[in-house]
Amino acid sequence: MKPFPARSIIARVRTVLPFLPLNGDQPRRSAPRAALGFLLLAVTLFAPAVAQAASMSRGFNRLLGAVVRIDVREVAFEAGVRRYSASIGSGVILTEDGLILTNAHVASPRAVDLSVTLANLERVNATLVGWDHWTDLAVLRLDLADVRKRNLTFAHARFGRSDRLYPGQEVFAVGTPHGLTRTVTRGIISNHARYFEDSAGVNGYETGAFNTWLQTDAAINPGNSGGPLVTEDGRVVGITSRGYLGANNLGFAIPASTAEEVLHLLARDGTITRSYIGLIPGALQDLENFYALDTNTGMLVNSVDPGSPAARAGIRAGDIVLTVNGNKVDGRFPEQLPGIQYLIARQPVGSTVTLVIKRGADTREVAVVTEKLESRVGEEWAFERWGLSVRKVSRAYARANQLEDDTGVVVIGVQSGFPADVATISRGDIITKVNHQPITSLAQLKAVHASYEAAPAPTLFEVQRDRRVSLFVVKP
């Protein structure tokens, strides 16, 4: 609470206690009345502040009761084998029925065991409701049957308004840095709309395309991931996600405006479906003169994915998108690009998006039919008898690598000395057929491997390598 200026206090005193002299000439007989006046003055001035502080304290205590530690055991398919690893993250309970919001890089479909430590130090199992690597968010659910059986209790936090944050505003990061549960660090909002390209993503998956980030100087360390970034009243305004390695006081959080929507959709559907048209945007800053554009007008098409809906509609690199479904777009700065991409992504899959495109002196209207947005990273598996780890070729991967279609699996690891290695199959090869049968799903390859395990026999692999097809025989 801001202190009252002296003049404001005097004015309030005269309003509340007109009988109280303030010039030192108070008659002695008025001393009791003066004492009473000062008491009333104190109550008038400071009671609201005391009530506000108490309310904020209750809010922060509620928040602390909702922050959890998350222990994760997950599997990765590397070098032809399954490898298990353990990690620690943070999360925050946000509903009465025990839904926990955390990071996608903390809890993903690779997790084989999830346990949550509550504020009372009791440990409870949890299950993955859904995850969304595009925003680096995931939702878990506490085992409520176990909670009731053990007569446990927990609090749940509430969202705040991330769109009202401003640089310099005080915030707190709460989480489990290096395993130290419910650690609170204090800082400020350094930037309320930071944009950066995250090339590493979430275990190789894309992230950060549809939102900007909150930047804070509150200390964020390994283990803080998935914990809440909160205001002094305990309201969740962000989900801490990462820090800059090798830098001081550079932490980033997903805004509550994004997190609240993702929580709702994952809780309802278990997944989030978005639209894709294949435009890769670019900022127009310093380029307007080359395109004869007014300032703050349009978005540059930096590139177009081969075979995408935008490519089929005739859009090409260098075009300027002026409107999307009649909405003018302004992509002058990188920070504005996620909002434009989200405008397209939120359209129903299979719907028509109408773009007004400027190409040279010509302006035209282009209709693009959306497809389902997919990651370049497909489902993974390890076939240990072959010593082979693979990933299903996704449509996005096929387009990025100019493949004819999304048939087959790409080799992501080979175990030295095992049959696949002896047959000289290598990382990066794309297995398109096995025993002359096209591989359209991992299930097919799992069935072939099961037969191999039951009765080992030479198996013929058709592999695409450097745009050439080769045949390899994998022997027992």
Side-chain angles (χ1 to χ4, degrees):
M1 184 183 74
K2 296 181 179 179
F4 290 113
R7 293 181 180 178
S8 175
I9 293 176
I10 292 172
R12 177 171 289 195
V13 169
R14 291 192 181 279
T15 301
V16 177
L17 303 172
F19 56 85
L20 179 62
L22 297 175
N23 57 6
D25 297 330
Q26 171 66 29
R28 185 171 299 179
R29 68 177 186 275
S30 301
R33 295 181 62 193
L36 178 60
F38 277 116
L39 179 60
L40 292 174
L41 171 63
V43 172
T44 302
L45 291 180
F46 300 113
V50 172
Q52 182 183 14
S55 176
M56 292 169 63
S57 177
R58 287 194 298 271
F60 209 92
N61 286 335
R62 180 191 187 99
L63 179 277
L64 290 176
V67 176
V68 299
R69 163 178 166 153
I70 302 174
D71 287 85
V72 183
R73 184 168 173 264
E74 65 179 12
V75 61
F77 305 101
E78 301 172 359
V81 295
R82 303 181 193 190
R83 300 190 187 277
Y84 293 89
S85 61
S87 61
I88 297 172
S90 305
V92 57
I93 303 173
L94 282 161
T95 65
E96 293 181 354
D97 58 347
L99 288 182
I100 300 169
L101 194 59
T102 186
N103 283 146
H105 72 263
V106 170
S108 74
R110 294 179 178 180
V112 294
D113 183 66
L114 291 165
S115 65
V116 170
T117 303
L118 302 174
N120 58 11
L121 303 184
E122 295 287 350
R123 183 172 291 187
V124 180
N125 288 333
T127 55
L128 181 66
V129 174
W131 82 311
D132 180 46
H133 63 83
W134 297 98
T135 56
D136 193 14
L137 291 168
V139 175
L140 313 181
R141 186 185 296 279
L142 288 173
D143 184 346
L144 290 183
D146 188 36
V147 169
R148 297 189 188 101
K149 179 180 178 181
R150 295 162 59 189
N151 199 27
L152 302 178
T153 60
F154 56 84
H156 68 279
R158 296 170 181 170
F159 280 111
R161 293 287 300 272
S162 58
D163 58 339
R164 293 181 179 176
L165 296 174
Y166 55 87
Q169 183 173 353
E170 189 175 58
V171 289
F172 302 84
V174 189
T176 314
H178 298 287
L180 303 173
T181 57
R182 286 177 304 288
T183 295
V184 181
T185 57
R186 183 177 64 179
I188 61 170
I189 293 293
S190 305
N191 188 293
H192 64 292
R194 176 65 67 199
Y195 171 82
F196 62 88
E197 295 182 6
D198 191 347
S199 57
V202 177
N203 297 325
Y205 288 86
E206 308 87 341
T207 191
F210 307 119
N211 62 275
T212 53
W213 303 72
L214 302 176
Q215 181 183 328
T216 179
D217 68 350
I220 293 176
N221 293 282
N224 269 114
S225 291
L229 186 71
V230 303
T231 48
E232 59 185 355
D233 59 355
R235 294 278 182 165
V236 178
V237 292
I239 300 296
T240 55
S241 180
R242 59 204 65 203
Y244 246 97
L245 294 177
N248 293 322
N249 306 326
L250 288 178
F252 301 91
I254 301 117
S257 56
T258 297
E260 189 169 8
E261 179 184 28
V262 170
L263 172 66
H264 170 72
L265 293 174
L266 289 180
R268 187 188 68 186
D269 304 325
T271 187
I272 298 177
T273 301
R274 296 186 177 92
S275 280
Y276 158 89
I277 61 173
L279 289 185
I280 309 301
L284 268 171
Q285 187 177 14
D286 301 327
L287 297 175
E288 290 93 346
N289 291 338
F290 295 98
Y291 290 94
L293 287 169
D294 294 332
T295 303
N296 302 321
T297 300
M299 177 192 73
L300 174 67
V301 177
N302 209 37
S303 62
V304 179
D305 290 339
S308 66
R312 293 196 299 269
I315 300 173
R316 61 193 190 203
D319 287 346
I320 305 296
V321 178
L322 299 177
T323 67
V324 176
N325 285 342
N327 300 301
K328 292 183 179 180
V329 297
D330 175 9
R332 188 178 188 215
F333 303 110
E335 290 82 357
Q336 296 171 301
L337 300 181
I340 300 173
Q341 295 187 86
Y342 178 67
L343 180 62
I344 296 171
R346 68 184 299 184
Q347 304 302 317
V349 174
S351 63
T352 298
V353 175
T354 302
L355 308 177
V356 174
I357 300 292
K358 184 178 186 298
R359 181 180 298 166
D362 181 34
T363 300
R364 66 187 69 182
E365 188 176 278
V366 180
V368 185
V369 178
T370 70
E371 293 180 357
K372 181 181 178 181
L373 176 68
E374 294 183 0
S375 171
R376 62 174 176 265
V377 182
E379 183 186 357
E380 298 177 356
W381 199 255
F383 299 99
E384 294 176 296
R385 290 294 295 272
W386 290 333
L388 193 66
S389 297
V390 301
R391 175 185 295 152
K392 181 70 183 73
V393 172
S394 67
R395 184 166 51 188
Y397 181 91
R399 283 172 173 160
N401 291 274
Q402 299 183 357
L403 305 178
E404 291 184 2
D405 53 40
D406 57 1
T407 299
V409 296
V410 59
V411 177
I412 58 175
V414 178
Q415 180 80 342
S416 178
F418 275 64
D421 178 54
V422 173
T424 70
I425 293 176
S426 303
R427 180 184 177 90
D429 288 348
I430 298 173
I431 301 170
T432 55
K433 294 181 181 180
V434 176
N435 291 337
H436 304 296
Q437 298 299 314
I439 299 300
T440 59
S441 68
L442 272 181
Q444 287 179 284
L445 202 53
K446 289 177 182 179
V448 175
H449 185 256
S451 298
Y452 181 92
E453 287 183 305
T459 306
L460 180 64
F461 283 70
E462 186 172 308
V463 171
Q464 183 173 325
R465 178 186 296 173
D466 297 329
R467 302 186 182 282
R468 300 176 65 180
V469 175
S470 300
L471 298 177
F472 299 93
V473 177
V474 175
K475 301 178 179 179

